[in-house]
Amino acid sequence: FLSGNKLELLHEDYFKELVNLQKLDLSENVLKKIHPYTFRNLSNIRESLRLEYQNIHGLNQRTFFGLRNLNELYLSFNRIS
């Protein structure tokens, strides 16, 4: 869990070595931007990716590239338009 850690930005190599990760909770940070392909090596995430309660304004079409087994994505309480 990386929730509540005041993360502002996720670079594309941030999770490069975490290929066996099953779920990821990044909620309650202050993320403004997630680089495209940030999650590309996380194809084993099956349960959930939590990104709620951030400051995310927009998402690139490649933001979630590689998450082909993801069941639940939480994006509530952001500023996505």
Side-chain angles (χ1 to χ4, degrees):
F1 292 90
L2 292 171
S3 61
N5 280 294
K6 299 182 183 177
L7 298 173
E8 293 182 14
L9 178 68
L10 294 179
H11 293 282
E12 67 179 77
D13 290 329
Y14 204 81
F15 302 107
K16 188 169 103 175
E17 305 295 326
L18 301 176
V19 295
N20 293 318
L21 203 60
Q22 295 282 320
K23 63 182 174 180
L24 181 57
D25 185 348
L26 293 164
S27 61
E28 298 182 39
N29 281 289
V30 288
L31 290 173
K32 295 177 185 171
K33 183 174 182 179
I34 301 172
H35 282 276
Y37 302 104
T38 296
F39 304 111
R40 73 184 177 280
N41 294 319
L42 301 180
S43 61
N44 286 324
I45 289 186
R46 298 183 193 292
E47 293 182 39
S48 63
L49 174 58
R50 303 192 75 97
L51 291 165
E52 65 261 57
Y53 296 99
Q54 306 292 339
N55 197 21
I56 300 170
H57 292 273
L59 296 168
N60 182 286
Q61 66 183 17
R62 301 284 185 203
T63 299
F64 303 109
F65 181 83
L67 294 173
R68 58 184 171 264
N69 295 313
L70 184 65
N71 286 318
E72 298 175 352
L73 174 62
Y74 297 92
L75 289 168
S76 58
F77 300 100
N78 278 286
R79 297 173 186 237
I80 300 169
S81 55

